[in-house]
Coordinates of all heavy atoms in Angstrom, one line a residue:
D1 N 44.2 -93.2 -33.1 CA 44.4 -91.8 -33.4 C 45.2 -91.7 -34.7 O 46.4 -91.6 -34.7 CB 45.1 -91.1 -32.3 CG 45.4 -89.6 -32.5 OD1 44.8 -89.1 -33.4 OD2 46.2 -89.1 -31.7
I2 N 44.6 -91.8 -35.8 CA 45.3 -91.8 -37.1 C 44.7 -90.7 -38.1 O 43.5 -90.3 -37.9 CB 45.2 -93.2 -37.8 CG1 43.7 -93.5 -38.1 CG2 45.8 -94.3 -36.9 CD1 43.6 -94.8 -39.0
T3 N 45.5 -90.3 -39.0 CA 45.1 -89.4 -40.0 C 45.4 -90.0 -41.4 O 46.6 -90.4 -41.6 CB 45.8 -88.0 -39.9 OG1 45.6 -87.5 -38.6 CG2 45.4 -87.1 -41.0
L4 N 44.4 -90.2 -42.2 CA 44.6 -90.8 -43.5 C 44.8 -89.8 -44.6 O 44.1 -88.8 -44.7 CB 43.3 -91.6 -43.9 CG 42.8 -92.7 -42.8 CD1 41.6 -93.3 -43.3 CD2 43.9 -93.7 -42.5
A5 N 45.9 -89.9 -45.3 CA 46.3 -89.0 -46.4 C 45.9 -89.6 -47.7 O 46.5 -90.6 -48.2 CB 47.8 -88.7 -46.4
W6 N 44.8 -89.1 -48.3 CA 44.3 -89.6 -49.6 C 45.0 -88.8 -50.7 O 45.4 -87.7 -50.5 CB 42.8 -89.4 -49.7 CG 42.0 -90.0 -48.6 CD1 41.8 -89.5 -47.4 CD2 41.4 -91.3 -48.6 NE1 41.0 -90.4 -46.6 CE2 40.8 -91.5 -47.4 CE3 41.4 -92.4 -49.6 CZ2 40.1 -92.7 -47.1 CZ3 40.7 -93.5 -49.3 CH2 40.1 -93.7 -48.0
P7 N 45.2 -89.4 -51.9 CA 45.8 -88.7 -53.0 C 45.0 -87.4 -53.3 O 43.8 -87.4 -53.3 CB 45.8 -89.7 -54.1 CG 45.7 -91.0 -53.4 CD 44.9 -90.8 -52.2
T8 N 45.7 -86.4 -53.7 CA 45.1 -85.1 -54.0 C 44.2 -85.2 -55.3 O 43.2 -84.5 -55.4 CB 46.1 -84.0 -54.2 OG1 47.1 -84.4 -55.2 CG2 46.8 -83.7 -52.9
T9 N 44.6 -86.1 -56.1 CA 43.8 -86.3 -57.3 C 42.4 -86.8 -57.1 O 41.5 -86.6 -57.9 CB 44.5 -87.2 -58.3 OG1 44.8 -88.5 -57.6 CG2 45.8 -86.6 -58.8
S10 N 42.2 -87.4 -55.9 CA 40.9 -88.0 -55.6 C 39.9 -86.9 -55.3 O 38.7 -87.1 -55.2 CB 41.0 -89.0 -54.4 OG 41.4 -88.3 -53.2
I11 N 40.3 -85.7 -55.1 CA 39.4 -84.6 -54.8 C 38.6 -84.2 -56.0 O 37.5 -83.8 -56.0 CB 40.2 -83.3 -54.3 CG1 40.9 -83.7 -52.9 CG2 39.3 -82.1 -54.1 CD1 41.8 -82.6 -52.4
L12 N 39.2 -84.4 -57.2 CA 38.5 -84.1 -58.5 C 37.7 -85.3 -58.8 O 38.1 -86.3 -59.4 CB 39.6 -83.8 -59.6 CG 40.5 -82.6 -59.3 CD1 41.5 -82.5 -60.4 CD2 39.7 -81.4 -59.2
L13 N 36.5 -85.3 -58.3 CA 35.6 -86.5 -58.4 C 35.0 -86.6 -59.8 O 34.6 -85.6 -60.4 CB 34.5 -86.4 -57.4 CG 35.1 -86.3 -55.9 CD1 33.9 -85.9 -55.0 CD2 35.7 -87.6 -55.5
P14 N 34.9 -87.8 -60.3 CA 34.3 -88.0 -61.7 C 32.8 -87.7 -61.7 O 32.2 -87.5 -62.7 CB 34.6 -89.4 -62.0 CG 34.8 -90.1 -60.7 CD 35.4 -89.1 -59.8
N15 N 32.1 -87.8 -60.5 CA 30.7 -87.6 -60.4 C 30.3 -86.2 -60.7 O 30.8 -85.3 -59.9 CB 30.2 -88.1 -59.0 CG 28.7 -88.1 -58.9 OD1 28.0 -87.3 -59.6 ND2 28.2 -88.9 -58.0
P16 N 29.6 -85.9 -61.7 CA 29.3 -84.5 -62.0 C 28.5 -83.8 -60.9 O 28.8 -82.6 -60.6 CB 28.4 -84.6 -63.3 CG 28.7 -85.9 -63.9 CD 29.0 -86.8 -62.7
H17 N 27.7 -84.5 -60.2 CA 27.0 -83.9 -59.0 C 27.9 -83.4 -58.0 O 27.8 -82.4 -57.4 CB 26.0 -84.9 -58.5 CG 25.3 -84.4 -57.2 ND1 24.4 -83.4 -57.2 CD2 25.4 -84.9 -55.9 CE1 24.0 -83.2 -55.9 NE2 24.6 -84.1 -55.2
R18 N 29.0 -84.2 -57.7 CA 30.0 -83.8 -56.7 C 30.8 -82.6 -57.2 O 31.1 -81.8 -56.3 CB 30.9 -85.0 -56.4 CG 30.2 -86.3 -55.9 CD 29.8 -86.1 -54.5 NE 30.9 -86.4 -53.6 CZ 30.8 -86.5 -52.3 NH1 29.7 -86.2 -51.7 NH2 31.9 -86.8 -51.5
N19 N 31.0 -82.5 -58.4 CA 31.8 -81.3 -58.9 C 30.9 -80.1 -58.8 O 31.4 -79.0 -58.5 CB 32.2 -81.5 -60.4 CG 33.3 -82.6 -60.5 OD1 34.1 -82.7 -59.6 ND2 33.3 -83.2 -61.7
V20 N 29.6 -80.2 -59.0 CA 28.7 -79.1 -58.8 C 28.7 -78.7 -57.4 O 28.7 -77.5 -57.0 CB 27.3 -79.4 -59.3 CG1 26.3 -78.3 -58.9 CG2 27.3 -79.6 -60.9
Q21 N 28.7 -79.7 -56.5 CA 28.7 -79.4 -55.0 C 29.9 -78.6 -54.7 O 29.9 -77.6 -54.0 CB 28.7 -80.7 -54.3 CG 27.4 -81.3 -54.0 CD 27.5 -82.6 -53.1 OE1 28.4 -83.4 -53.3 NE2 26.7 -82.7 -52.2
A22 N 31.1 -79.0 -55.2 CA 32.3 -78.3 -54.9 C 32.3 -76.9 -55.4 O 32.8 -75.9 -54.7 CB 33.5 -79.1 -55.5
L23 N 31.7 -76.6 -56.6 CA 31.6 -75.3 -57.1 C 30.7 -74.4 -56.3 O 31.0 -73.2 -56.0 CB 31.1 -75.3 -58.6 CG 32.1 -75.9 -59.6 CD1 31.4 -76.1 -60.9 CD2 33.3 -75.1 -59.7
R24 N 29.6 -75.0 -55.8 CA 28.7 -74.2 -54.9 C 29.4 -73.8 -53.6 O 29.2 -72.7 -53.1 CB 27.4 -75.0 -54.7 CG 26.5 -75.1 -55.9 CD 25.3 -76.0 -55.6 NE 24.4 -76.0 -56.7 CZ 23.4 -76.9 -56.9 NH1 23.3 -77.9 -56.1 NH2 22.6 -76.8 -57.9
I25 N 30.1 -74.8 -53.0 CA 30.8 -74.5 -51.8 C 31.8 -73.4 -51.9 O 31.9 -72.5 -51.1 CB 31.4 -75.8 -51.2 CG1 30.3 -76.9 -50.9 CG2 32.2 -75.6 -50.0 CD1 30.8 -78.3 -50.6
D26 N 32.6 -73.5 -53.0 CA 33.6 -72.5 -53.2 C 33.0 -71.1 -53.5 O 33.5 -70.1 -53.0 CB 34.5 -72.9 -54.5 CG 35.7 -72.0 -54.6 OD1 36.5 -71.9 -53.7 OD2 35.7 -71.3 -55.7
A27 N 31.9 -71.1 -54.2 CA 31.2 -69.8 -54.4 C 30.7 -69.2 -53.1 O 30.7 -68.0 -52.8 CB 30.1 -70.0 -55.4
A28 N 30.1 -70.1 -52.3 CA 29.6 -69.7 -51.0 C 30.7 -69.1 -50.1 O 30.5 -68.2 -49.3 CB 28.9 -70.8 -50.3
R29 N 31.9 -69.7 -50.2 CA 33.0 -69.2 -49.4 C 33.3 -67.8 -49.7 O 33.6 -66.9 -48.9 CB 34.2 -70.1 -49.6 CG 35.5 -69.6 -48.8 CD 36.6 -70.7 -49.0 NE 37.0 -70.8 -50.4 CZ 37.9 -70.1 -50.9 NH1 38.5 -69.1 -50.2 NH2 38.3 -70.3 -52.2
H30 N 33.3 -67.4 -51.0 CA 33.6 -66.1 -51.5 C 32.4 -65.1 -51.2 O 32.7 -63.9 -51.0 CB 33.9 -66.1 -53.0 CG 35.2 -66.7 -53.3 ND1 36.4 -66.2 -53.0 CD2 35.4 -67.9 -53.9 CE1 37.4 -67.0 -53.5 NE2 36.8 -68.1 -54.0
L31 N 31.2 -65.6 -51.1 CA 30.1 -64.7 -50.9 C 29.7 -64.5 -49.4 O 28.9 -63.6 -49.1 CB 28.8 -65.3 -51.6 CG 28.8 -65.2 -53.1 CD1 27.7 -66.1 -53.7 CD2 28.7 -63.8 -53.6

């Protein structure tokens, strides 16, 4: 029963596809 805390900087992924994913998810949250 563990919770892993990853560095917050790892959320900004270098993969452009992943960044597009994040933008779409954020837009969907507002819409």
Side-chain angles (χ1 to χ4, degrees):
D1 181 14
I2 64 172
T3 301
L4 307 178
W6 303 85
T8 55
T9 53
S10 64
I11 297 176
L12 300 176
L13 302 168
N15 188 334
H17 174 66
R18 300 285 274 185
N19 288 333
V20 171
Q21 278 184 314
L23 290 174
R24 286 173 175 165
I25 296 169
D26 188 60
R29 178 173 64 86
H30 292 288
L31 287 169

